[in-house]
Amino acid sequence: MILHELIDFEVLRVIWWLLLGVLLIGFALTDGFDMGVGALLPFVAKTDLERRVAINTVGPVWEGNQVWFILGGGAIFAAWPPLYAVSFSGFYMAMFLVLAALILRPVAFKYRSKRDNPQWRQTWDWALFIGGAVPALIFGVAVGNVLQGVPFRFTEDLMPLYEGSFFGLLNPFALLTGLTSLAMLIMHGGAWLSLKADGVVAGRARVFGSYAAAGSLLGFLLAGLWLAIGLDGYAFTSPSVTDGPSNPLFSEVAKGGSWLTAYAIRPWITIAPVLGIVGAALTFLGLRAGREVSTLLTSKIAILGMISTVGLTMFPFILPSSVDPNSSLTVWDSSSSHLTLFVMLVATVIFMPLILAYTAWVYKVLWGKVTEEDVRSNTDTVY
């Protein structure tokens, strides 16, 4: 028996769909509070000393957190090549804006304190704001467009053709999901600052973070209502072959009905939106009450629930096509080969625990608050 045949192709596809979700959620849980802190910076910190307190809560960890984004992109490239081809070419301008904003962040971290000039530092602080707010917004806009279907199709030789435009992505539903995403990560940043900062910075973070928690909860509920009554879903019109070749054109898909029929078929997935709603509500209450560790935990639960809701609602669809539903990408017809998925899984089983262990160790070492006294004396702070 060939070794990779120990695991069925269908099972491997589901495992890599789950792993892709784990990587994207891991990015939101870790780098999400970095982006949230950046988006909150102009509102929670009024003086240079206060801004340095806020920045130094994320300065030592943001590079490690961003690794999850790189791993997610790598997983899409290796495990889901058609998804990589369509999304990175069709969303080219949106991806460019995200990368440009993310590039601003390390430059701002490294350069803001190189000169003791208020205007110089304020400029780089606004760069940190852009580096936090813009990706959070665009990621949410992308999710909104995925739920509606993206205007692409495949030719007979499987060449992807994107027929949309950047401004076409900025439709009302996508802007709603974008603002919800932004509010969600600002909530997470507020919970992080409540835990890691002290004094007025932590106090303001609780106020603005609680506003964001309420906004993310409201946006999540409105998006769910819109999804139920205002958007068509996608469904197979013929039996799907779960262990067949990766060719989207072999499937017959139609647009119509509701995405929410998934909850009738798989009632257990209701746990995801429940976690999103309850997590955001508890985060709001926790920020208002001044709780710290538990509030960061409930913020993570909210993010886990909200992002999982999208993936579980759409399963097995990954990227539906609005112009040619038969070109839609699903778990069953857009993966790499059986052998490739198996080899990648072996590597993941070996290296993922090491990454998690190292990440846990780093957070343990860096546990504790960043105070104004630390910043004044430059003790363990460099930003």
Side-chain angles (χ1 to χ4, degrees):
M1 177 183 290
I2 300 175
L3 190 59
H4 70 272
E5 292 180 353
L6 292 172
I7 305 179
D8 291 340
F9 197 11
E10 174 186 0
V11 175
L12 276 173
R13 282 169 161 166
V14 174
I15 289 173
W16 272 102
W17 174 79
L18 290 170
L19 284 174
L20 177 59
V22 168
L23 292 173
L24 295 179
I25 292 172
F27 170 64
L29 293 181
T30 55
D31 206 38
F33 64 70
D34 298 337
M35 290 187 285
V37 169
L40 279 171
L41 194 60
F43 308 100
V44 301
K46 304 300 182 182
T47 67
D48 181 65
L49 184 62
E50 292 171 359
R51 287 191 287 272
R52 291 186 66 197
V53 168
I55 292 169
N56 277 281
T57 65
V58 298
V61 297
W62 72 268
E63 288 177 291
N65 293 340
Q66 196 161 275
V67 167
W68 290 93
F69 181 59
I70 298 171
L71 290 174
I76 293 174
F77 172 77
W80 309 100
L83 175 62
Y84 182 90
V86 173
S87 59
F88 279 73
S89 58
F91 295 162
Y92 184 82
M93 183 56 68
M95 291 289 184
F96 176 82
L97 290 176
V98 168
L99 291 176
L102 291 177
I103 289 170
L104 276 178
R105 186 166 58 173
V107 177
F109 277 130
K110 299 301 181 183
Y111 279 91
R112 79 167 303 278
S113 293
K114 296 299 183 182
R115 293 176 58 187
D116 190 13
N117 180 290
Q119 186 61 44
W120 170 271
R121 293 188 173 186
Q122 188 176 37
T123 299
W124 290 117
D125 290 340
W126 280 108
L128 287 173
F129 170 78
I130 294 171
V134 170
L137 177 67
I138 292 180
F139 287 144
V141 168
V143 170
N145 280 281
V146 168
L147 284 165
Q148 295 175 92
V150 177
F152 75 94
R153 60 184 177 86
F154 286 103
T155 63
E156 292 183 357
D157 56 357
L158 293 183
M159 177 181 292
L161 298 176
Y162 183 75
E163 300 179 359
S165 65
F166 172 73
F167 292 104
L169 300 175
L170 304 178
N171 55 78
F173 179 75
L175 289 175
L176 171 61
T177 56
L179 291 173
T180 301
S181 170
L182 178 60
M184 179 182 73
L185 296 189
I186 289 176
M187 169 191 72
H188 201 36
W192 175 257
L193 284 174
S194 175
L195 173 67
K196 291 289 291 181
D198 72 343
V200 294
V201 173
R204 294 184 190 126
R206 294 187 189 105
V207 173
F208 287 103
S210 65
Y211 293 158
S216 65
L217 177 57
L218 178 61
F220 185 63
L221 292 172
L222 287 175
L225 180 62
W226 197 328
L227 202 66
I229 64 176
L231 290 182
D232 289 331
Y234 291 78
F236 287 106
T237 57
S238 63
S240 56
V241 179
T242 59
D243 59 353
S246 292
N247 187 333
L249 298 181
F250 286 173
S251 302
E252 295 183 9
V253 176
K255 182 178 182 180
S258 172
W259 281 121
L260 301 190
T261 55
Y263 293 87
I265 300 171
R266 304 184 299 273
W268 60 269
I269 68 174
T270 306
I271 186 64
V274 169
L275 287 177
I277 293 169
V278 172
L282 291 177
T283 303
F284 172 83
L285 296 174
L287 287 167
R288 286 292 181 175
R291 292 188 290 269
E292 298 178 352
V293 176
S294 62
T295 300
L296 184 63
L297 177 61
T298 57
S299 178
K300 291 179 181 294
I301 290 173
I303 293 172
L304 170 64
M306 291 181 182
I307 297 177
S308 297
T309 296
V310 178
L312 291 171
T313 299
M314 292 182 60
F315 183 86
F317 288 90
I318 300 177
L319 189 66
S321 170
S322 59
V323 296
D324 179 19
N326 287 335
S327 293
S328 298
L329 301 179
T330 75
V331 172
W332 312 131
D333 56 27
S334 58
S335 72
S336 291
S337 68
H338 193 168
L339 177 60
T340 299
L341 294 184
F342 180 80
V343 172
M344 289 172 57
L345 180 61
V346 172
T348 301
V349 169
I350 294 172
F351 291 107
M352 183 64 77
L354 298 176
I355 295 172
L356 292 173
Y358 176 75
T359 301
W361 177 78
V362 168
Y363 279 95
K364 182 178 183 296
V365 170
L366 297 173
W367 190 258
K369 288 184 176 291
V370 177
T371 66
E372 292 186 0
E373 288 72 22
D374 292 332
V375 173
R376 287 194 186 95
S377 61
N378 204 34
T379 302
D380 297 326
T381 60
V382 294
Y383 303 103

